[in-house]
Amino acid sequence: NSIRGILLRRAYKRSKAILFFQPDHYPLFTTLKLDNGIFLPPLWDVSFFKTNYVSKGKFEGKLVIFHPANLDWRLKGNNILLKGFSEFVNENPNSILIVVDRGIDSQKTHDLVKTLGIENKVLFVEGPLNSTELLHYYNLADVIADQFVLGALGSIGWETFSCAKPLLAFINEEQYRLLYGQAPPMFNALGHDNVKKQLEILMDEDTRKKIGNQAREWITKYHSTELFLKKIKTVYDSVLEGKKADEIRYKIEKLNPN
């Protein structure tokens, strides 16, 4: 109800189109009573983050889970992952969780690892990591674990898909199917019980490879540069032609790959 908020709402309502790229933003348009939202997945370059051979070294024979998400329990649910992993590793001790140590809940995370008694199953690496370091760990790992709260994917998810690795995270699949036409191939987990169950499935190497390859196909299909350019040009042209948001939305949806 501030002046800034009032002006922002007015700008939203007067816009010919509001472009958004996160599926979890979709419900906000209903809340704000806006009908001019257009979903536009951003372009994503898959040429850097890709499959490379990395020797597992001391981790040979182990199930390696890499968790690069910022340690912020409220937004990322790192504690959910740790609790699920602790239950999993008690039954499957030949596993290791590599955690990037950065974020406001770093100390809480270390404390929880000790409380759960899994210090020898969790390896902390000092963060933040640069792109080259991330690429190394993506390819070293068998499974990548992202966030378990937000219900939508960001750069970690897209980088994981690009490297053809299986992703363990939480998404709102209904929103993804509505906006993309297809939910991404990944291992969806809400709550530590589901984390444990999905990790048990991920023990199978063939399953990991199958979903990883499907994930790279998905990111290439829906986030390609060519598709993005077609869509953004359609939006610009349609706005200049005075088209309404629902007409633009229809044109954009027609461009979606089958």
Side-chain angles (χ1 to χ4, degrees):
N1 292 317
S2 64
I3 293 176
R4 182 180 182 182
I6 292 169
L7 292 173
L8 185 56
R9 280 200 299 274
R10 186 171 70 174
Y12 284 154
K13 289 180 179 179
R14 289 184 176 182
S15 296
K16 294 292 184 182
I18 300 175
L19 307 181
F20 69 103
F21 73 95
Q22 285 288 43
D24 60 331
H25 291 170
Y26 178 71
L28 297 175
F29 289 89
T30 300
T31 303
L32 294 170
K33 298 179 181 179
L34 298 168
D35 59 5
N36 52 357
I38 295 175
F39 180 64
L40 185 69
L43 59 87
W44 186 256
D45 181 7
V46 296
S47 64
F48 179 80
F49 286 101
K50 59 185 179 182
T51 302
N52 291 326
Y53 172 75
V54 173
S55 173
K56 294 186 77 170
K58 63 181 179 180
F59 303 119
E60 193 65 47
K62 294 182 179 292
L63 181 72
V64 179
I65 303 149
F66 178 48
H67 181 49
N70 197 39
L71 298 178
D72 183 337
W73 291 11
R74 183 179 68 86
L75 293 177
K76 304 298 184 180
N78 320 88
N79 52 322
I80 295 172
L81 171 64
L82 287 170
K83 290 176 182 177
F85 174 73
S86 70
E87 295 172 1
F88 167 78
V89 80
N90 284 337
E91 300 175 9
N92 305 278
N94 207 24
S95 307
I96 186 82
L97 175 63
I98 301 176
V99 177
V100 177
D101 195 0
R102 61 163 185 154
I104 60 173
D105 289 326
S106 171
Q107 187 57 53
K108 285 171 62 176
T109 300
H110 280 268
D111 292 343
L112 180 58
V113 167
K114 292 179 182 177
T115 299
L116 294 170
I118 53 174
E119 299 101 316
N120 62 334
K121 300 297 182 182
V122 177
L123 172 65
F124 286 95
V125 294
E126 186 177 353
L129 303 182
N130 61 37
S131 297
T132 302
E133 291 167 330
L134 281 170
L135 180 62
H136 169 81
Y137 280 105
Y138 284 141
N139 281 287
L140 170 70
D142 299 299
V143 178
I144 314 300
D146 189 6
Q147 55 75 35
F148 299 89
V149 175
L150 297 174
L153 304 178
S155 58
I156 290 175
W158 299 335
E159 289 162 2
T160 301
F161 290 170
S162 299
C163 292
K165 290 290 182 172
L167 179 70
L168 176 65
F170 167 61
I171 64 166
N172 185 318
E173 290 187 343
E174 183 179 348
Q175 290 176 355
Y176 273 80
R177 282 192 289 266
L178 175 66
L179 296 171
Y180 279 93
Q182 178 189 10
M186 54 173 286
F187 291 84
N188 202 11
L190 180 62
H192 63 90
D193 290 340
N194 284 329
V195 168
K196 176 178 181 288
K197 290 176 183 176
Q198 296 289 42
L199 285 173
E200 290 169 347
I201 296 172
L202 281 160
M203 290 180 68
D204 181 67
E205 183 178 358
D206 290 338
T207 299
R208 296 197 303 267
K209 287 182 177 180
K210 178 183 176 181
I211 297 300
N213 289 332
Q214 289 177 353
R216 182 168 172 92
E217 291 174 4
W218 188 90
I219 193 76
T220 303
K221 179 178 179 180
Y222 289 104
H223 289 260
S224 73
T225 301
E226 294 76 15
L227 180 60
F228 176 82
L229 292 177
K230 285 180 183 178
K231 287 186 174 184
I232 196 69
K233 186 177 186 299
T234 298
V235 172
Y236 292 157
D237 289 343
S238 299
V239 169
L240 291 173
E241 291 167 6
K243 302 293 185 183
K244 294 182 179 179
D246 57 347
E247 296 177 285
I248 303 173
R249 194 179 300 112
Y250 177 76
K251 287 184 178 181
I252 293 296
E253 290 172 354
K254 293 285 284 184
L255 293 172
N256 281 334
N258 295 324

